[in-house]
Amino acid sequence: TDHNVAGNHLSNIVVMLQPGLQVSGRVSFDGTSQPPEDLSRLRVSLQSITTPGAGDLSTNVSERVEADGRFTFQSVVPGRYRLTGGGAGGDWIVAASTMDGENALDMPVDIKAATSGAVVTFTDRHSELTGTISDDRSQPVVDYTLVVYPAEPRFRVPQSRRILSARPDTVGRFTFRNLPPGDYRLAPVLDPEPGSWFDPAFLQQLDDGALRVSIAEGEKKEQNLR
């Protein structure tokens, strides 16, 4: 609870402290190649979201994964966090993370109590969305920014891995890599403010004119725009 004293002297204020929470879990692998032999190279991270509703990222607490694939965060302050990881090497990337079964990668989860049910899943199946953007004379268009974003509004949150931007090259070709499976919208935008594509209101304005596209796990898809 916040208390605004406005320069006044207050007495008999009691502040109760409580120990931090323990958050533990394991890593898993879902792919076609052999998982890393040395799991202790991996690290997992809790990214704190300090401003409710705004999605401002602050502290990033990182822990090493043990040889058996387990990990433990000690003294976690209750709050809203995203759970992610890295360091697997090769083609392995984080595909998903859950906290007691709740999606903890695409949006923050509230950590209010100790838990041992965290899971970070890695995959070596990489998706890719490529294409070209051209005008009605089939000439490449290079002065637009392509924005791909999730069809579901609940995924339209700041720093989402499901929201990407790309500028076409000199022949109008663009590429988006490692989009999670799902339904998306693809839209060209002229001179957008950097980062504006993380604003849900901005994305809603693009909906009517955006192209619908679906990505399956590990799918390589080509989608051209005119």
Side-chain angles (χ1 to χ4, degrees):
T1 302
D2 295 330
H3 296 278
N4 184 2
V5 299
N8 297 321
H9 176 73
L10 297 180
S11 60
N12 299 322
I13 296 294
V14 178
V15 178
M16 300 296 294
L17 302 179
Q18 65 180 31
L21 306 173
Q22 184 181 91
V23 175
S24 62
R26 60 181 176 85
V27 297
S28 68
F29 294 86
D30 179 17
T32 58
S33 56
Q34 185 69 24
E37 292 184 3
D38 184 9
L39 297 183
S40 65
R41 297 182 307 170
L42 279 66
R43 298 194 72 85
V44 291
S45 299
L46 282 175
Q47 297 177 332
S48 171
I49 309 297
T50 58
T51 307
D56 297 326
L57 290 177
S58 64
T59 56
N60 186 341
V61 182
S62 180
E63 289 291 344
R64 184 174 63 87
V65 176
E66 300 297 329
D68 63 355
R70 302 288 304 180
F71 59 83
T72 301
F73 294 93
Q74 303 285 358
S75 302
V76 176
V77 177
R80 302 168 71 241
Y81 294 87
R82 287 194 185 111
L83 174 64
T84 186
D91 292 329
W92 294 102
I93 60 173
V94 174
S97 71
T98 58
M99 196 86 66
D100 294 328
E102 185 177 356
N103 186 338
L105 184 59
D106 289 303
M107 55 195 67
V109 295
D110 284 318
I111 298 179
K112 300 178 181 179
T115 179
S116 60
V119 180
V120 178
T121 302
F122 291 81
T123 185
D124 61 358
R125 300 185 181 97
H126 296 250
S127 69
E128 188 172 272
L129 174 63
T130 60
T132 59
I133 178 171
S134 59
D135 60 22
D136 55 5
R137 297 175 297 169
S138 298
Q139 296 300 307
V141 175
V142 299
D143 51 355
Y144 278 78
T145 295
L146 280 301
V147 177
V148 62
Y149 61 98
E152 293 186 64
R154 66 189 180 100
F155 289 132
R156 300 177 185 181
V157 295
Q159 311 309 316
S160 171
R161 64 187 179 130
R162 296 174 182 264
I163 302 175
L164 298 176
S165 66
R167 289 297 299 268
D169 62 17
T170 55
V171 296
R173 191 160 189 83
F174 60 88
T175 301
F176 296 102
R177 294 184 174 88
N178 298 330
L179 284 168
D183 296 324
Y184 291 87
R185 301 289 183 266
L186 177 62
V189 184
L190 184 62
D191 296 329
E193 289 291 330
S196 59
W197 39 83
F198 291 116
D199 181 355
F202 175 84
L203 296 178
Q204 187 175 11
Q205 294 176 2
L206 302 180
D207 278 346
D208 288 342
L211 186 68
R212 300 186 178 193
V213 58
S214 295
I215 301 292
E217 183 180 10
E219 182 179 13
K220 305 294 191 293
K221 173 171 284 190
E222 181 155 346
Q223 182 66 65
N224 299 323
L225 292 90
R226 185 181 295 273

